[in-house]
Amino acid sequence: MLSLLAAAPVAEAVAHGPVNPWVALAYLVSGVFFILALRGLSSPATSRTGNRFGMIGMLIAVVTTLVTHDIANIVEILIAIAVGGVIGLVIARRIAMTAMPELVAAFHSLVGLAAVLVGWAAYLNPSAFGLLVGGNIGAVSKVEMGLGIAIGAITFSGSVIAFAKLSGRMSGSPILLPARHIINLGTLTAIIVLIGLFALTGHTETLPLIIALTVLAFLIGFLLIIPIGGADMPVVVSMLNSYSGWAAAAMGFTLGNSAMIITGALVGSSGAILSYIMCRAMNRSFLSVIAGGFGAEDGGAAGGEPREQRPYKQGSAADAAFMLEQAEKVIIIPGYGMAVAQAQHALREMTDILEEKGVEVKFAIHPVAGRMPGHMNVLLAEASVDYDKVFELEDINSEFAQADVAFIIGANDVVNPAAKTDKSSPIYGMPVFDVDKAKQVFFIKRSMGGVGYAGVDNDVFYMDQTMMLLSDAKKMVEEIVKALD
């Protein structure tokens, strides 16, 4: 398989004819802009510039394709681009930052569907794509086409399920089918076999094969995502991002388009690296995430209720404000609850007031906080929180022992000490913040009736130095701000 893919550029050059050097240069320039875009997106401080580089790169690639190809109806193409651009602009302006994870998943599904449609278009009209070799589609082109369709279909159906889970249209709890591992392995094996048969069979006899390949790929995308719980969603989002890139790269080989190959490889590899980082942050393997999410075991407390009623201390906004004013160092740990309540702006206002009173305030961000990679960073950036106040787990965890207050707002699993002490816990081994070492802990959550996505109770609720602030996160922070004034 690898040797076939390695030979693909040569085969495609023959099939598509010689490549105009100016076209190759334009695609290379667009690829450079995509690389600069990824480089810019690696930091909140340069993310806007990175986005602009990506837009410029895509503009160059699209214009080059339109200018250098024989377009049947350029007016229809331009109308389609305009309609898509308007839809994208409206969605981007209207979407709430809290809904960004499901928006990303929805966009991934469109990339996957596009790969499937392009693959089928190339199959149904191979002469228009320059794929015919001796009256049939070449074996190499069939491998590329089959991979593109399969990965695209998996990306589409998997992203649809991820969107449904993230948006609340489907339960975020793992849905476990009997013998799911055997079913998934058998389906993936069948897809690989079908791609091989598709590549080796004459064109007139391949229609049933490509139909079966597409159907099974759609099915396995669905089966892979439904058993994954909400706590693993950051990994799922980055994984689907990687899949969409590889689908685009495979279609790039089919079309002989170097810009698609470069862009797809960049997206695919960066998504894979990000998935690895997310898994390492949870001290889990990628295969364990695919096999099923947190809370998937029958013995877990996935029902959403604490296992036992234990005494805890409840405080008010006035109590929290008084202690925050007396503190010298405060570390804030935001989580998905902050996103749901849209409390980031009130939190920034509280931070400004505390700093005016001489309190040092820092933000601690766990790699898997929220529902997509960097979710908390995006929300804090939206609220204009200074980048130099935001720290990742490994950079700030040692400072909790010197902190007067650990201020937890909407986080749960990422501060749960069971990850360090309870070997039976589904989150055991996951690196968490050492909030139990802080002198005082404020924990904002709606009620004591629920637990995190991992479905396990949190001992932090019941520590002597913990004060539970039971309320909507935004409302509680706003009340603390009033009390500070």
Side-chain angles (χ1 to χ4, degrees):
M1 183 69 71
L2 290 176
S3 61
L4 288 176
L5 291 178
V10 177
E12 290 304 320
V14 174
H16 293 275
V19 178
N20 187 314
W22 292 107
V23 174
L25 179 61
Y27 284 150
L28 179 61
V29 171
S30 69
V32 171
F33 274 105
F34 291 138
I35 293 172
L36 293 174
L38 284 178
R39 179 67 182 88
L41 293 172
S42 64
S43 169
T46 58
S47 59
R48 290 180 183 272
T49 302
N51 268 321
R52 294 190 184 100
F53 282 141
M55 293 166 66
I56 294 171
M58 184 57 67
L59 179 63
I60 293 173
V62 171
V63 171
T64 301
T65 301
L66 292 178
V67 170
T68 59
H69 285 70
D70 183 17
I71 306 299
N73 193 325
I74 189 65
V75 175
E76 292 181 357
I77 295 292
L78 293 177
I79 290 175
I81 292 175
V83 171
V86 170
I87 293 174
L89 180 64
V90 171
I91 291 176
R93 294 182 68 88
R94 290 185 177 181
I95 196 72
M97 294 302 292
T98 50
M100 194 58 65
E102 53 259 44
L103 178 66
V104 172
F107 282 170
H108 286 162
S109 73
L110 297 179
V111 176
L113 184 60
V116 174
L117 294 177
V118 170
W120 266 91
Y123 172 77
L124 295 174
N125 192 7
S127 60
F129 292 85
L131 300 180
L132 291 179
V133 179
N136 288 317
I137 302 176
V140 174
S141 295
K142 285 182 178 179
V143 171
E144 297 161 357
M145 191 184 301
L147 286 173
I149 291 175
I151 300 172
I154 292 171
T155 303
F156 173 76
S157 55
S159 297
V160 169
I161 298 301
F163 169 80
K165 283 177 172 279
L166 290 166
S167 62
R169 292 171 172 82
M170 181 178 180
S171 172
S173 301
I175 300 175
L176 307 180
L177 301 178
R180 65 186 186 280
H181 300 310
I182 296 175
I183 294 172
N184 291 347
L185 184 60
T187 306
L188 287 172
T189 302
I191 289 173
I192 295 172
V193 171
L194 285 170
I195 292 176
L197 293 175
F198 176 61
L200 299 175
T201 306
H203 179 69
T204 56
E205 303 171 358
T206 54
L207 184 59
L209 295 175
I210 195 171
I211 291 176
L213 168 65
T214 306
V215 171
L216 287 181
F218 278 128
L219 177 63
I220 193 62
F222 172 81
L223 294 175
L224 284 174
I225 305 302
I226 59 170
I228 300 179
D232 284 326
M233 275 301 135
V235 179
V236 172
V237 172
S238 61
M239 177 187 71
L240 292 171
N241 178 60
S242 179
Y243 288 176
S244 68
W246 298 126
M251 285 298 102
F253 280 111
T254 300
L255 303 179
N257 189 307
S258 57
M260 287 184 66
I261 297 171
I262 294 172
T263 306
L266 287 172
V267 174
S269 57
S270 61
I273 293 171
L274 189 56
S275 298
Y276 169 76
I277 293 173
M278 295 292 105
C279 289
R280 189 177 64 177
M282 296 187 294
N283 195 30
R284 307 180 71 209
S285 68
F286 179 76
L287 290 178
S288 70
V289 173
I290 297 301
F294 281 149
E297 300 300 326
D298 295 336
E305 296 293 328
R307 299 179 212 170
E308 57 180 306
Q309 293 296 325
R310 298 160 61 182
Y312 63 91
K313 292 188 294 185
Q314 183 175 350
S316 65
D319 297 329
F322 175 78
M323 295 182 186
L324 287 169
E325 284 182 313
Q326 308 305 313
E328 294 183 0
K329 184 173 186 175
V330 174
I331 300 178
I332 300 173
I333 304 98
Y336 187 61
M338 182 193 77
V340 173
Q342 301 186 44
Q344 61 270 26
H345 294 282
L347 194 64
R348 198 275 329 256
E349 186 177 358
M350 185 189 82
T351 299
D352 291 343
I353 295 174
L354 289 175
E355 289 180 334
E356 289 175 1
K357 296 177 179 293
V359 180
E360 180 186 9
V361 181
K362 293 184 176 181
F363 289 82
I365 307 296
H366 196 280
V368 296
R371 293 296 175 266
M372 72 176 186
H375 195 185
M376 295 302 104
N377 301 77
V378 170
L379 295 177
L380 294 179
E382 182 201 16
S384 301
V385 173
D386 291 341
Y387 306 130
D388 56 3
K389 298 176 185 174
V390 180
F391 299 87
E392 295 185 2
L393 184 146
E394 60 268 21
D395 298 323
I396 199 171
N397 216 18
S398 61
E399 298 187 28
F400 280 99
Q402 293 81 44
D404 296 293
V405 175
F407 191 93
I408 305 167
I409 174 170
N412 197 328
D413 296 327
V414 299
V415 298
N416 195 334
K420 298 181 290 184
T421 60
D422 185 0
K423 292 185 178 181
S424 65
S425 172
I427 63 172
Y428 179 73
M430 183 179 83
V432 294
F433 290 115
D434 296 330
V435 296
D436 53 317
K437 296 181 180 179
K439 298 175 184 176
Q440 179 72 48
V441 177
F442 295 143
F443 209 125
I444 298 180
K445 65 194 307 285
R446 288 183 178 273
S447 69
M448 295 298 294
V451 290
Y453 258 110
V456 292
D457 204 5
N458 194 336
D459 287 340
V460 173
F461 301 160
Y462 317 106
M463 295 191 312
D464 292 337
Q465 72 265 42
T466 297
M467 179 183 293
M468 301 300 300
L469 304 175
L470 304 179
S471 176
D472 173 80
K474 183 179 180 181
K475 181 180 178 182
M476 176 56 69
V477 176
E478 287 176 343
E479 290 178 356
I480 291 174
V481 169
K482 291 179 182 178
L484 287 172
D485 288 337

